[in-house]
Amino acid sequence: MPDSQPQPPPSSSNSSGSSGQLDPTPLLLCGARLTDGRTVDVRLGGGRIEAVGTAGSLASGPGRTGATRVDLSGYLLLPGPAEPHAHGDTALSAEYPGPVSYAAEDVQRRATEAALLQLGHGATAARAHVRVGDVQGLGALGAVLQARRSLRGLAELTTVAMPRLLTGAAGADGLAILRDAVKMGASVVGGCPDLDPDPTGYVEAVLEVASEHGCPVDLHTDAADPARLSRLAAMAGGLRPGVAIGPCAGLARLPAEAVSRLADQLAAAGVAVVCLPQGGCGSAEGRGTAPVRLLRAAGVRVAAGSGALRDVSNPVGRGDPLEAAYLLASAHGLRPEDAYDTVSGSARAVLGLPEVRVEAGFPAELLAVRGDRLAGALSLAYSRIVVHRGRVVARTSAVREYCNSAAAAELGLPRQGRGELS
């Protein structure tokens, strides 16, 4: 990870872009544990972190009355995670028989419920890829945008417009609807060039629309064709405000030498990779996880997303960023700190959001998880408290109870619960 020490963003900036009002009541987080081992109080106000001090130091004094206190004893306080790769239009559709309903009310309900589920996991910002054109037209996009409006003040939801085809005679309609989608409110342009008869032409068309409107680009690709990925990196290099690709599972099936060359090209072009360790969002044949350690070693920004959330691609998808980090640490050899960065700092950077640190001046986008070490929190992240724009927006509590045990009492083991189970 870089050794630079960037300064906190200016306090006047509004990282959410939302018109939702900030809670004027200051919030005092008491007795939180930080990853460096300190136990601190954290005061929040105006959507930002106002102060961080030793436990008890911020509880009283001039100008410090009237704050709402939240006891975080026993919790680890972290920069909040973000979700860089969701599918709100198809989420939570696996349990319904037949084809996925694209009726506006069904898409809005699913997209809203999915965002709230992910908010409960800690993700206060999410990027949803939405299909446009074909039978959906712009209806699904309109429904997800409506869900976005209804979630203001709770979570920030941005949308990626995904046309099926962009080249040839059939692609003319896709290109027109992509431009209409941006005018309608899609803030990112994307799609899956692998499914177009001319993948390179598809990428060129997406980059052209992105350049016209100053939009980020987020493309689905398996990245199994080195020549095609090399061309993509060459075309995307230097585009602002940025290009992300994912899930790139095909890179894991290529020879190491080829992957190293491609990783260097992606790093030089500033193209980020969003991997999906929880199961992907397409066919079973294309599943897998990109070689995250190799990509990171080459300087590629790697973020981790959830992909499918209980739709036909993954009927048991959880949409949990901490599970994605857990999998990268347990199955792919990342240190817990680096694994968590893929769902927090790097994920926020891919979404174009300002950096978050538990330091004064930074945005108050935070996650408190029961535990005292990051490794333990990734392993058993049951109880969570989520802070968005300086206020608590979600809580998940889990209590584990055991019957009385002489052995547990003798060893002085930590206990939760009332001690008697009926």
Side-chain angles (χ1 to χ4, degrees), residues 88-258:
D89 54 345
T90 58
L92 307 174
S93 60
E95 57 263 40
Y96 298 103
V100 176
S101 169
Y102 280 96
E105 61 272 20
D106 292 337
V107 174
Q108 183 181 345
R109 174 184 54 78
R110 292 197 306 262
T112 303
E113 184 180 353
L116 290 174
L117 282 171
Q118 293 183 300
L119 177 64
H121 293 317
T124 61
R127 176 179 282 182
H129 295 254
V130 183
R131 298 173 188 178
V132 298
D134 297 329
V135 296
Q136 296 94 345
L138 291 171
L141 176 62
V144 177
L145 290 172
Q146 184 58 42
R148 175 181 184 269
R149 289 187 283 271
S150 70
L151 289 163
R152 279 183 178 155
L154 293 176
E156 304 301 328
L157 182 64
T158 58
T159 53
V160 185
M162 293 180 57
R164 186 169 63 89
L165 299 175
L166 287 180
T167 67
D173 289 340
L175 193 54
I177 206 162
L178 180 59
R179 289 190 166 97
D180 288 343
V182 175
K183 294 174 185 175
M184 187 174 178
S187 53
V188 187
V189 292
C192 185
D194 297 359
L195 300 180
D196 193 283
D198 179 4
T200 299
Y202 189 107
V203 173
E204 289 174 344
V206 167
L207 294 177
E208 179 182 347
V209 174
S211 180
E212 289 172 4
H213 296 275
C215 293
V217 170
D218 198 329
L219 292 165
H220 282 65
T221 179
D222 189 49
D225 185 328
R228 188 185 299 169
L229 186 59
S230 181
R231 287 194 295 271
L232 187 156
M235 289 187 291
L239 184 74
R240 295 291 179 265
V243 177
I245 59 174
C248 297
L251 285 175
R253 302 189 293 272
L254 295 176
E257 271 190 25

Side-chain angles (χ1 to χ4, degrees), residues 351-371:
L351 298 185
L353 298 171
E355 181 184 15
V356 173
R357 297 185 188 181
V358 188
E359 298 176 14
F362 284 86
E365 303 290 324
L366 303 167
L367 172 64
V369 185
R370 185 167 288 281

Side-chain angles (χ1 to χ4, degrees), residues 26 38 81 99 107 176 205 254 288 301 307 342 356 371 378:
R38 288 180 294 152
V107 174
L254 295 176
R301 185 181 295 281
T342 67
V356 173
L378 295 184

Side-chain angles (χ1 to χ4, degrees), residues 326-344:
Y326 155 77
L327 290 169
L328 291 179
S330 65
H332 297 275
L334 264 62
R335 297 185 312 127
E337 295 79 8
D338 293 338
Y340 188 72
D341 173 76
T342 67
V343 300
S344 58

